[in-house]
């Protein structure tokens, strides 16, 4: 049976000792309430809910799945009761304005909450998780009436939200989108079309579901420039803001999936449903990216969740399972065999899981600080600041989403390997992690889509590599501070070389793309993974620097905690970071290698 324990020591190490959230919160308008004592209480409450309410539901809910009948979805046993506890705790509104019923705490605390809930039970966490994107979109682009109508109910958790983007004929390519929005006389719109793969599109947890829907107006320009965004509730609110008349929104079916079976993935049909334009006409894609950035950070958290859960359950098994004797000599003479944790190859897998989990957490928590700044800018309506922080987050989100979810699959595989044959049967839960991890690399854009977004849009098109130059400049500045530190010298040297290489590779791809346009697509996956490994190396170097200092001068955690940090950093640099070299070499191979074969020659099966 899978178990989960919130890694509060590591969470607090990042918040208090490395990323200095305490000082960061003092810079925020809503940071005063996030004092150390209050934050500790919130973290403890998150942990208790995740460990004792959500985690025990994870495996049984997977076996039961969701039930679909006559357009209605019933969630697994215990989900509704858990959701009610969530609502009663006010957790949905932790980072939203008090005027709409929220606690007005920094957005980063909401993301940390999402990590704990998601690691304990990712499919359950998707239901409130989708609402977060809806709230963020309405906060930034909704008018006063839309905010007053929808935000109190969404922020309380009484209502939930979804994102309706994908259609049967198109996923990422929204040029092919067919859903229509026809103006009504009262200023609303009649929405007609069908959307697929809608997570939490129908369920029995809330009294209303608010769909955020992409659709085209009759006179809309062709392509993505003609897409608008609409609020389409399952039940139309009455004058008092309560769910009233049923809208023409129907769940047609739910998908039968490889994983996340207790999260309803729906076909949602709109048959002249009443919708309300949010933001400007024909500029819905811009507003949708607010939702998408929220979702992509959330999906990056899913990568972390599966890494952490697989590690937490692999470690005790490796300490208890005995097989053969260690090559270096007998470790447990009173036992018939040594525990498998004494075998170097098992330690390789455990340390890989540990290095990925703690490195991923550091990357996400760093980006969460930007989310705090962006939320503050949205609250003020400061368009200049919104663009600044949105652009900063925009560079990180494809890496967090693409790189970390790929690592989630690898960590889940290591968990199955450590369990051996027991990792393939349902009782252990390791196969469940492996199944659930797979979807994270697909929704909100596949790894290939994230890679193309990173290299093509964020790096090459915007400033000709400026994002990489700016980010490596910040790494080099940090390296300069530790250049003479004997403990950090080897990390500084490696990072310095990687910064130079990262800029060189970017420049080389930029020049090559002038003649070989396919190189952007051909190189993008390697560029994404290379970027992820280097970014994680920087975070591990920073964690090592803090830990060396705490070993000498004392810190909030036991000395052994910091020693383990420095040893994990060494493992990452020596055993995992070398993977970046293969990606560097591969990304510079001309696209001809992939594009020269005639499509009829891929297979000869006659």
């Amino acid at each position: 049976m899978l178990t989960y324990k919130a890694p509060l020591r590591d969470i607090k190490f990042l918040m208090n000792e490395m990323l200095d959230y305490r000082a960061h919160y003092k810079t925020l308008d809503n940071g005063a309430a996030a004092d150390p004592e209050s934050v500790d209480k919130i973290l403890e409450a998150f942990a208790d809910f995740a460990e004792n309410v959500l985690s025990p539901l994870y495996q049984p809910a997977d076996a039961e799945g969701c039930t679909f009948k006559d357009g209605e979805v019933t969630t697994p046993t215990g989900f509704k009761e858990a959701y009610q506890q969530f609502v009663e705790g006010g957790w949905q509104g932790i980072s939203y304005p008090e005027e709409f019923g929220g606690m007005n705490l920094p957005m980063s605390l909401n993301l940390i909450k999402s990590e704990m809930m998601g690691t304990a039970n990712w499919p359950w966490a998707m239901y409130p998780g989708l609402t977060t994107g809806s709230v963020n979109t309405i906060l930034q682009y909704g008018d006063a009436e839309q905010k007053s109508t929808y935000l109190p109910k969404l922020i309380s958790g009484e209502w939930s939200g979804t994102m309706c983007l994908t259609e049967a004929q198109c996923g990422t390519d929204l040029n092919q989108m067919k859903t229509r929005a026809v103006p009504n006389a009262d200023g609303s719109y009649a929405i007609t079309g069908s959307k697929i793969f809608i997570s939490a599109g129908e369920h029995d947890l809330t009294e209303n579901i608010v769909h955020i829907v992409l659709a085209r107006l009759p006179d809309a320009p062709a392509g993505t420039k003609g897409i608008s965004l609409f609020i389409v509730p399952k039940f139309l609110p009455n004058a008092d803001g309560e769910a009233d008349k049923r809208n023409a929104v129907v769940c047609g079916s739910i998908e039968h999936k490889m994983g996340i079976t207790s999260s309803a993935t729906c076909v949602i049909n709109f048959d002249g449903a009443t919708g309300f334009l949010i933001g400007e006409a024909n500029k819905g894609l811009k507003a949708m990216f607010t939702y998408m950035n929220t979702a992509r950070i959330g999906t990056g958290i899913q990568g972390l969740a599966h890494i952490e859960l697989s590690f937490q359950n692999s470690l005790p098994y490796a300490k208890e399972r005995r097989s053969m004797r260690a090559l270096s000599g007998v470790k447990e003479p009173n036992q018939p065999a040594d525990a498998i944790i004494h075998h170097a190859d098992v330690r390789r897998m455990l340390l890989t899981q540990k290095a990925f989990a703690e490195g991923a957490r550091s990357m996400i928590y760093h980006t969460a600080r930007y989310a705090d700044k962006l939320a503050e800018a949205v609250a003020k309506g400061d368009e200049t600041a919104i663009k600044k922080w949105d652009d900063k987050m925009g560079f990180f989100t494809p890496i967090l989403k693409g790189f970390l979810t790929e690592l989630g699959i690898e960590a889940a595989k290591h968990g199955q390997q450590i369990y051996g044959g027991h990792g393939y049967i349902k009782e252990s839960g390791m196969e469940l992690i492996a199944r659930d991890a797979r979807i994270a690399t697909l929704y909100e854009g596949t790894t290939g889509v994230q890679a193309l977004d990173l290299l093509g849009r964020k790096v090459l098109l915007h400033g000709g590599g400026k994002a990489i130059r700016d980010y490596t400049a910040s790494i080099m500045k940090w390296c300069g501070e530790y250049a003479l530190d004997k403990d950090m010298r080897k990390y500084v040297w490696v990072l310095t070389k990687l910064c130079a290489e990262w800029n060189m590779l970017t420049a080389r791809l930029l020049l090559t793309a002038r003649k070989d346009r396919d190189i952007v697509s051909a190189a993008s996956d390697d560029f994404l993974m290379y970027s992820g490994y280097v970014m994680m190396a920087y975070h591990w170097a920073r964690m090592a620097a803090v830990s060396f200092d705490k070993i000498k001068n004392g810190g909030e955690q036991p000395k052994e905690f910091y020693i383990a940090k420095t040893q994990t950093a060494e493992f990452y640099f020596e055993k995992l970071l070398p993977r970046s070299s293969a990606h560097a070499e591969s990304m510079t191979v001309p696209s001809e290698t992939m594009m020269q074969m005639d499509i009829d020659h891929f297979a000869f099966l006659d």
Side-chain angles (χ1 to χ4, degrees):
M1 185 76 173
L2 291 172
T3 59
Y4 170 67
K5 184 72 175 175
L8 291 177
R9 285 192 186 277
D10 200 57
I11 289 171
K12 291 179 181 180
F13 164 77
L14 290 173
M15 293 182 73
N16 301 339
E17 298 182 284
M18 189 181 123
L19 298 173
D20 198 1
Y21 268 53
R22 290 166 179 167
H24 164 66
Y25 285 156
K26 290 179 180 178
T27 70
L28 302 174
D29 291 345
N30 64 343
D35 59 274
E37 183 179 356
S38 297
V39 169
D40 282 347
K41 288 181 180 179
I42 290 169
L43 294 179
E44 294 287 347
F46 286 167
D48 179 67
F49 180 68
E51 294 169 3
N52 299 309
V53 178
L54 297 184
S55 181
L57 295 175
Y58 184 33
Q59 282 178 271
D62 174 73
E64 182 180 348
C66 290
T67 303
F68 176 76
K69 184 178 180 180
D70 299 329
E72 303 290 333
V73 171
T74 302
T75 55
T77 303
F79 268 37
K80 196 167 186 177
E81 293 76 10
Y83 188 83
Q84 188 57 41
Q85 289 187 49
F86 175 78
V87 172
E88 290 171 357
W91 297 128
Q92 185 69 281
I94 186 170
S95 296
Y96 293 114
E98 291 177 333
E99 65 178 298
F100 301 118
M103 299 184 193
N104 199 36
L105 289 166
M107 185 62 69
S108 52
L109 285 173
N110 188 63
L111 293 171
I112 294 168
K113 173 203 76 179
S114 298
E115 180 205 335
M116 293 191 204
M117 294 195 315
T119 310
N121 190 332
W122 185 264
W124 183 93
M126 289 181 69
Y127 291 98
L130 269 294
T131 303
T132 299
S134 299
V135 173
N136 291 348
T137 304
I138 295 172
L139 269 173
Q140 187 166 343
Y141 294 99
D143 59 31
E145 182 180 356
Q146 290 168 344
K147 290 177 181 179
S148 63
T149 299
Y150 294 100
L151 289 181
K153 295 289 190 179
L154 290 169
I155 286 171
S156 71
E158 296 171 76
W159 295 359
S160 62
T162 76
M163 172 177 65
C164 294
L165 183 156
T166 306
E167 299 182 8
Q169 76 284 353
C170 69
T172 305
D173 184 7
L174 295 175
N175 284 300
Q176 301 180 55
M177 198 189 70
K178 296 180 179 179
T179 299
R180 309 296 294 178
V182 178
N184 293 322
D186 62 359
S188 66
Y189 293 81
I191 311 297
T192 301
S194 183
K195 300 288 185 176
I196 66 169
F197 300 157
I198 309 307
S199 299
E202 176 62 35
H203 54 78
D204 58 355
L205 303 183
T206 61
E207 63 183 30
N208 200 5
I209 302 172
V210 179
H211 301 286
I212 305 296
V213 184
L214 286 181
R216 292 186 186 279
L217 295 169
D219 58 351
T224 57
K225 293 181 179 180
I227 296 176
S228 300
L229 193 64
F230 299 86
I231 299 173
V232 188
K234 176 181 175 181
F235 292 94
L236 293 165
N238 61 22
D240 297 323
E242 300 297 327
D244 190 12
K245 181 182 176 182
R246 177 66 190 254
N247 206 354
V249 179
V250 177
C251 178
S253 64
I254 60 174
E255 304 295 346
H256 303 283
K257 308 181 299 264
M258 176 181 181
I260 57 168
T261 59
S262 49
S263 173
T265 304
C266 306
V267 174
I268 301 293
N269 298 317
F270 302 92
D271 187 11
T274 301
F276 307 93
L277 180 69
I278 180 171
E280 297 181 55
N282 302 324
K283 294 186 178 180
L285 204 58
K286 178 183 176 182
M288 179 56 76
F289 269 107
T290 296
Y291 201 132
M292 292 294 288
N293 276 340
T294 302
R296 285 171 178 173
I297 294 176
T299 310
I301 291 174
Q302 184 177 357
L304 165 59
H306 293 314
I307 300 167
E308 178 69 32
L309 193 61
S310 61
F311 172 63
Q312 285 198 18
N313 288 272
S314 296
L315 181 59
Y317 186 84
K319 290 179 177 179
E320 297 168 2
R321 178 73 172 181
R322 290 180 171 80
S323 182
M324 301 180 290
R325 293 297 185 185
L327 295 179
S328 57
V330 176
K331 304 300 181 185
E332 298 176 281
N334 296 327
Q335 298 293 338
D338 292 330
I340 61 174
I341 197 170
H342 295 296
H343 299 304
D345 185 58
V346 173
R347 290 206 172 202
R348 171 187 63 82
M349 292 185 283
L350 288 169
L351 282 167
T352 297
Q353 291 174 320
K354 177 178 172 64
F356 284 165
E358 295 173 17
R361 184 172 295 111
S362 183
M363 291 165 68
I364 289 170
Y365 283 28
H366 172 83
T367 310
R369 288 163 46 111
Y370 293 157
D372 286 337
K373 293 290 189 180
L374 178 58
E376 181 176 75
V378 170
K380 293 179 177 179
D382 186 340
E383 292 297 328
T384 301
I386 288 172
K387 185 178 187 310
K388 172 186 174 180
W389 297 110
D390 196 47
D391 285 349
K392 282 184 175 291
M393 282 181 62
F395 171 65
F396 287 98
T397 50
I399 298 174
L400 297 182
K401 198 284 183 187
F403 177 67
L404 297 185
T405 57
E406 290 291 341
L407 299 191
I409 291 177
E410 180 179 344
K413 179 201 73 172
H414 289 324
Q416 288 188 290
Q417 287 284 312
I418 290 166
Y419 271 74
H422 294 282
Y424 197 67
I425 60 176
K426 291 185 179 295
E427 286 78 2
S428 74
M430 302 309 288
E431 61 82 35
L432 171 55
I433 300 174
R435 285 189 287 111
D436 280 2
R438 290 284 174 179
I439 185 59
T441 63
L442 302 177
Y443 53 26
E444 318 312 336
T446 63
T447 303
V449 169
Q450 305 304 321
L452 199 56
D453 177 49
L454 175 65
L455 179 58
R457 183 183 301 167
K458 306 294 176 54
V459 173
L460 299 185
L461 286 182
H462 290 179
K466 185 178 184 297
I468 301 301
R469 293 194 298 273
D470 289 348
Y471 187 66
T472 53
S474 67
I475 297 177
M476 291 302 299
K477 180 181 178 181
W478 180 88
C479 286
E481 297 172 6
Y482 289 91
L484 301 179
D485 187 319
K486 64 180 180 61
D487 292 323
M488 293 301 300
R489 194 171 297 145
K490 62 182 178 182
Y491 300 115
V492 166
W493 175 238
V494 171
L495 283 174
T496 299
K497 291 192 296 182
L498 286 169
C499 285
E501 182 179 57
W502 202 356
N503 279 291
M504 179 274 293
L505 290 167
T506 303
R508 184 170 174 179
L509 291 172
L510 183 63
L511 290 172
T512 303
R514 294 176 180 178
K515 294 182 179 180
D516 180 5
R517 300 300 294 271
D518 281 325
I519 192 65
V520 179
S521 179
S524 59
D525 184 77
D526 284 306
F527 188 87
L528 171 72
M529 297 304 291
Y530 176 92
S531 300
Y533 281 116
V534 176
M535 186 176 287
M536 187 173 281
Y538 175 43
H539 280 265
W540 266 114
R542 293 177 65 187
M543 287 189 278
V546 172
S547 296
F548 279 125
D549 175 70
K550 301 304 179 183
I551 290 169
K552 297 172 186 175
N553 302 310
E556 296 182 13
Q557 307 300 334
K559 184 177 181 180
E560 292 76 14
F561 174 91
Y562 303 112
I563 293 172
K565 280 286 184 188
T566 62
Q567 292 171 341
T568 310
E570 184 174 4
F571 172 83
Y572 181 84
F573 268 75
E574 295 190 2
K575 289 290 289 184
L576 299 176
L577 184 56
R579 298 180 183 185
S580 64
S581 297
H583 289 296
E585 183 173 350
S586 180
M587 76 173 75
T588 58
V589 174
S591 68
E592 182 183 5
T593 303
M594 281 163 270
M595 305 306 293
Q596 63 184 344
M597 186 179 294
D598 190 287
I599 58 175
D600 293 328
H601 297 167
F602 269 79
F604 295 90
L605 302 176
D606 294 340

